[in-house]
Each structure stands twice: as C-alpha cells, then as structure tokens.
Amino acid sequence: MATTTAKSFQNYIGGEWVDAASGETFETKSPATGETLGVFPRSSADDVDKAVDAAKAAYEEWRLVPAPRRGEILFRFGRLLADQKDEVAQLMAREMGKVLPEAAGDVQEAIDMSFYMGGEGRRLFGQTTPSELKDKFNMSVRQPIGVVGVITPWNFPIAIPSWKIAPALVCGNTVVFKPATDTPLLGERFVELLAEAGVPPGVVNIVHGGGGAVGDRLVKHPDVPVITLTGSRETGVEVMRNAADNLKHIHLELGGKNAIIVLDDADLDLAVEGIIWSAFGTSGQRCTAASRVIAQDGIYEELQSRLVKAAEQLRLGPGWQDGVDVGPVINQKALEKIHSYTEIGKDEGAKLLTGGEVASGNGLSDGFFYRPTIFGDVDPGMRVAQEEIFGPTTALIRVRDVDEAVRVSNGIEFGLSSSIFTRDVNTAFRAMRDLEAGITYINAGTIGAEVHLPFGGTKGTGNGHREAGQAALDVFTEWKSIYVDYSGKLQKAQIDTAS
Ligand code: NAD
C-alpha cells in the first residue's frame, strides 16, 4: 500500500474524533514489510490540554456512577474484544510484528483483565474495624483520584493498555491515554471498542504522539494526579523527575534482565523448551524475556548444544504467516541496538554460539529481522549480562552450585522475573525465597503472568507498585478512613481512654 492511500486516524477527545491542533501527522508501518498501515495525528501540548479538560469534566459524573455499572461496561468491552480477537490479533501481527498465536495471547490477556476488573466493580473492598471508643463506627473505603495519564510501550499493545485502563475506570477515574508511536493503530482500536462498549464521552480520551511532546505534557499537567507508565528504565526515571513538582502518584513498570537457572537435576527437555520460548518469543522484546541463562557445571555443555540446535531451527518471517516462530523486531533503531550488543558481547570476550546478524533474503529484507542469538562463556559482569537488550539475544553463564546461581541471578539492577529448573523441592523453595524479583517461576520460563496476580518488579524495574490483581487498585485509588460517632457526645480518641 502506498503511503498516500493509507487511512488517516484521529485523536478521541471528549467523545469526538479530532485532528491534532497543529495538523501534523506521522505514519505507522509494519515492521515485517515496511507497509504503511495508517496516518496519525502528531499531537502537542495543546491537544493534551484539551483531553485533560474533557477527562476532568467527565470525572465529576463518572466517579458517581455505581462501581458495578462501571464494571458492566468492562464486561461488554471484554465481550467485544473476544468477538474480534482474531481480527485484532491479525492487526497486531501487522503493526507490532508478533506471531499470531502470541498476538492472540496478548488480546486474551486484555479480555481476562477486563473481566477480572469488571468483577472488581462488585468488590472494591474496604475494611470495617472496631473503634477504641463506645458507640463509634470505623471504616476505610477506596476513592477514585481523578484523571489518570496512561503511557504505554509498543510490545504488548493491547494487553498493557488494559492493565492500566480497566482498573483506572472501574475505580472511578477518567483517562487520557497515550499509546506508543509504533503501535497507534492498536491503541486506536482499543479506544474504539471501549466507546462501543458504552464508556461515556470524555471518560477515555486518546492523544497520539511522541513521549517528548504528549507524554511529557501529561506528566507535567497539574490536573493529572496519576501517571501510569510502562517503558524503559531511562524513561521511568525522567518521568518521576518531571512529576516531582506536582507530587503525583507515579506507577512505573520498567525494564528487566531476567534469568533462568538450570541446575544439574533439571528436566533438560523442559528447560530447553522454556528457555527458547522465554528468550526468543516476541523476538525477545518482552520485559520478562529470559536474556540470561545460568547453567550449572554438570549440564552446561549439554544445555548449550541443545539450545543452539533449537535456536537454529526457529523460522523467521512475518507474524501472520503459518509456521513462523519469530517475527521482526519493532524498528530500525531496535535492530541497530540489538546488533550493537552483539558487537559489545564479542568485544567483551563472550563466545558467539549462533545468530549475531541481521536476517535478510527469503522475503525478510524489507523488515527488521534479527537471528536468534546465543552467547556462551559469558561473565556475569559483562554488559550483555547486565543491560537490557530487548531483542532475541540471550547469554549463557556457567555456575558451580545453586548459591552461586542465585547470586548471579540477583546481581543486576533489575528485579522483574526469575526462574529455576530443578527437581529438588527444597532447592525450589529456597529459590522462591531468595531470588530478588517480583515474579519467580519454578520449572517454567520467565513468561506466563496471569491477570489476577500482582505483576511488576523490584529494584530498578519499578517504584514499588504492582499492576494486575488486587494490587493494581492501590495505584488507582486513595484510601479514606471514616469515623462515625453515634454516641451523641464528643469522644476524644487517645484521651477518653476510660470509657
Ligand atoms: P520507552 O520508555 O521508550 O517508551 C514507553 C512510553 O513512554 C512510550 O509511549 C513513549 O512515547 C513514552 N515516553 C518516552 N519518553 C517520555 C517522557 N519523557 N515523558 C513521558 N512519556 C515518555 O519504552 P518502549 O521502547 O516503548 O518499551 C520497551 C521498554 O518497556 C523496555 O524497557 C521494557 O522492558 C519495558 N516494558 C516493561 C514492562 C513491565 O511491565 N515491567 C512491560 C513491557 C515493557
């Protein structure tokens, strides 16, 4: 499709589809073929301000809509998404590049989250507690906060918006959503379906454009008390700094450098399957991707040769084609970054076992394809073992025993996902306790979160919050404690201790 014939899309503000105030646009392209998929408004601070005004006005009514009714809208949204699951997955394979089964999984996660948070409309539990005084009633309740700024990356373009927008809405907040500029089409579809499900005008608004313009204004806007961002560590730090003057609630889900530990007693067939899936699924562009494999001496050589063989059998191609295991990476910049780490690894003395090059020919030359890459003999301190590459590259590290394995796994600045393959239940329980990460898998890869459990990381992966599960509600509500005195007299807490 030529650029000029690609469909144009707009922002959605206060229930109206509108162009950017500046009239400027940008294109979204398929990373597999370079085909232009759509033209989007390149918005600026003016557009953000309009969206925030709309969200602020809508908040006054939305916060008073009974939570079960808000939840029903999410149920309708979940059903619409389920009806269109195949079509949205196809779109994702084209715009973001994932292979179809993974794209369908991304959509399924959003369906699950919508139903889970829809049900929360009938819970949103607070607490009632006894009072220290007679004839007095105490309770705590969750209260919505206001306008939430939702800023998302491109790698889970339907799932991640749902992790943020579904809980924000059921709690009674309104939203201004800025999707990544690599996946605006999926962001747009997400909001279209929300509107179709019955979200009132102004309750959810979408403003397309870059982080430096749209994202930055959202972060600094005084009428946006909550920012929820998933992205890189660098962006997270900048956002936190920029929001400091307004003392905003900042929820950050950032990078990872996740490891799979394989001990001598592991089921190696299972471990190989888990590693290949975790390292090369979504072309390694998952925050929970296994970019390190920590292998015990006794199985190191065997594991290495099996991994290389399995990696070399993976088929690259456009995500929508049958039989493709690994799609493209997101863009030229990502391709260059991934390749630069191959050079860094070689310079550092790691052994390149397979991959390490851009894949071309056989219909791959128009896209951004990189061969699944494995480094062996990696020292835990090397940059390829410390820094997030966000591509199909993993580093094999040799250790003597489980204590060293856990030390190496923990020896990074991030703390998102972790995994251990062992048949020893005592070792597994020690690892569950000692691995410094928000998520630990036993005898599974580093991938596979379910929406009803908290999701997020320790250390440099975030700032202590979690999304998904009940924990997400803490991001989108404030606790209010309420004391009701029905004694008819002034009772003084901590003073009238004798009553
Ligand atoms: P990114 O940090 O470049 O961008 C994320 C979003 O932030 C985009 O929408 C971007 O436009 C916006 N942004 C950039 N600068 C901004 C600024 N100054 N102010 C406000 N907004 C700004 O990340 P990406 O390349 O889109 O995604 C990949 C990163 O996301 C990886 O580091 C990955 O680990 C991380 N990630 C984390 C999780 C998690 O749950 N922990 C999940 C998925 C991805």
Side-chain angles (χ1 to χ4, degrees):
M1 193 192 298
T3 306
T4 45
T5 60
K7 188 172 169 197
S8 288
F9 295 86
Q10 295 174 299
N11 291 328
Y12 186 64
I13 297 178
E16 306 279 331
W17 294 98
V18 291
D19 291 326
S22 68
E24 287 180 29
T25 59
F26 67 97
E27 293 178 351
T28 179
K29 291 176 189 276
S30 170
T33 61
E35 172 195 13
T36 299
L37 301 173
V39 180
F40 283 83
R42 186 181 294 284
S43 313
S44 60
D46 285 349
D47 305 293
V48 176
D49 290 356
K50 283 183 198 139
V52 172
D53 286 349
K56 200 176 165 196
Y59 174 69
E60 289 312 321
E61 279 192 33
W62 181 247
R63 72 187 178 90
L64 301 178
V65 172
R69 300 281 92 79
R70 298 195 296 250
E72 280 162 19
I73 295 179
L74 291 178
F75 287 135
R76 278 201 292 280
F77 172 69
R79 283 197 295 273
L80 285 172
L81 209 46
D83 290 345
Q84 298 186 26
K85 183 174 168 181
D86 291 345
E87 190 201 323
V88 178
Q90 281 282 354
L91 200 60
M92 196 181 302
R94 276 168 208 282
E95 190 184 39
M96 183 273 157
K98 281 181 202 201
V99 296
L100 270 182
E102 289 180 33
D106 190 315
V107 181
Q108 186 60 46
E109 209 164 300
I111 296 167
D112 295 344
M113 183 59 86
S114 306
F115 289 149
Y116 178 77
M117 285 298 167
E120 208 43 62
R122 288 194 180 268
R123 292 186 295 268
L124 284 181
F125 294 141
Q127 294 152 348
T128 60
T129 72
S131 168
E132 62 192 43
L133 293 166
K134 266 191 196 159
D135 296 334
K136 194 175 169 193
F137 181 84
N138 295 347
M139 62 185 155
S140 61
V141 296
R142 289 187 182 278
Q143 299 244 289
I145 307 176
V147 179
V148 176
V150 171
I151 304 176
T152 58
W154 44 267
N155 67 333
F156 280 86
I158 292 290
I160 289 180
S162 81
W163 290 16
K164 299 177 181 309
I165 294 175
L169 292 182
V170 81
C171 290
N173 305 285
T174 56
V175 167
V176 177
F177 171 31
K178 188 209 95 60
T181 46
D182 283 303
T183 50
L185 200 46
L186 289 155
E188 202 262 356
R189 180 58 62 88
F190 190 95
V191 167
E192 251 180 41
L193 290 176
L194 276 173
E196 199 180 327
V199 170
V203 170
V204 173
N205 308 273
I206 188 168
V207 182
H208 293 284
V214 176
D216 187 66
R217 178 59 183 155
L218 263 180
V219 169
K220 291 178 181 161
H221 199 298
D223 292 334
V224 180
V226 185
I227 293 289
T228 170
L229 166 100
T230 297
S232 63
R233 188 173 187 283
E234 294 68 31
T235 303
V237 169
E238 194 180 341
V239 162
M240 202 144 179
R241 253 190 219 118
N242 289 343
D245 283 346
N246 286 307
L247 292 176
K248 295 193 179 197
H249 299 229
I250 299 294
H251 164 234
L252 302 173
E253 294 292 342
L254 310 175
K257 189 72 190 172
N258 317 288
I260 293 180
I261 296 173
V262 186
L263 297 183
D264 285 350
D265 70 346
D267 175 339
L268 273 201
D269 291 337
L270 190 61
V272 168
E273 228 185 309
I275 293 166
I276 294 291
W277 167 235
S278 304
F280 303 126
T282 316
S283 309
Q285 303 168 110
R286 289 189 280 211
C287 51
T288 51
S291 51
R292 296 181 299 155
V293 177
I294 302 170
Q296 200 173 355
D297 247 346
I299 48 85
Y300 183 94
E301 301 296 338
E302 171 74 14
L303 182 69
Q304 170 175 298
S305 65
R306 288 210 212 178
L307 285 177
V308 169
K309 193 167 163 216
E312 287 175 353
Q313 281 166 358
L314 295 171
R315 283 150 305 180
L316 272 64
W320 58 88
Q321 272 180 14
D322 282 346
V324 166
D325 301 301
V326 180
V329 300
I330 191 71
N331 54 33
Q332 180 66 29
K333 202 170 147 211
L335 197 67
E336 285 166 13
K337 177 179 172 192
I338 293 161
H339 190 63
S340 78
Y341 272 96
T342 296
E343 296 304 326
I344 289 168
K346 287 197 283 191
D347 289 348
E348 286 178 310
K351 193 161 149 197
L352 182 62
L353 300 171
T354 186
E357 59 182 9
V358 173
S360 52
N362 292 328
L364 302 182
S365 302
D366 290 337
F368 308 115
F369 292 92
Y370 203 77
R371 294 226 175 275
T373 299
I374 303 179
F375 275 110
D377 295 339
V378 175
D379 183 276
M382 288 178 179
R383 287 182 63 191
V384 284
Q386 289 286 327
E387 297 172 16
E388 188 180 46
I389 300 172
F390 222 57
T393 301
T394 198
L396 261 167
I397 302 169
R398 187 193 294 262
V399 292
R400 279 180 309 279
D401 54 29
V402 64
D403 291 340
E404 187 184 358
V406 169
R407 255 198 325 276
V408 169
S409 183
N410 291 344
I412 46 159
E413 69 174 329
F414 299 107
L416 184 50
S417 189
S418 57
S419 144
I420 185 165
F421 283 84
T422 177
R423 288 180 166 115
D424 183 331
V425 69
N426 295 346
T427 304
F429 266 87
R430 280 194 202 106
M432 285 182 234
R433 182 194 60 198
D434 295 338
L435 287 170
E436 293 169 356
I439 307 166
T440 293
Y441 293 92
I442 307 297
N443 292 325
T446 46
I447 312 289
E450 300 179 27
V451 301
H452 48 295
L453 274 76
F455 181 92
T458 60
K459 303 197 289 188
T461 293
N463 59 343
H465 296 286
R466 291 291 182 272
E467 49 196 357
Q470 295 285 301
L473 305 177
D474 290 333
V475 172
F476 300 105
T477 54
E478 292 265 28
W479 281 111
K480 178 181 269 191
S481 298
I482 300 173
Y483 301 92
V484 184
D485 193 319
Y486 55 97
S487 69
K489 56 189 180 199
L490 181 66
Q491 302 193 84
K492 297 181 189 136
Q494 293 91 41
I495 293 172
D496 295 340
T497 51
S499 63

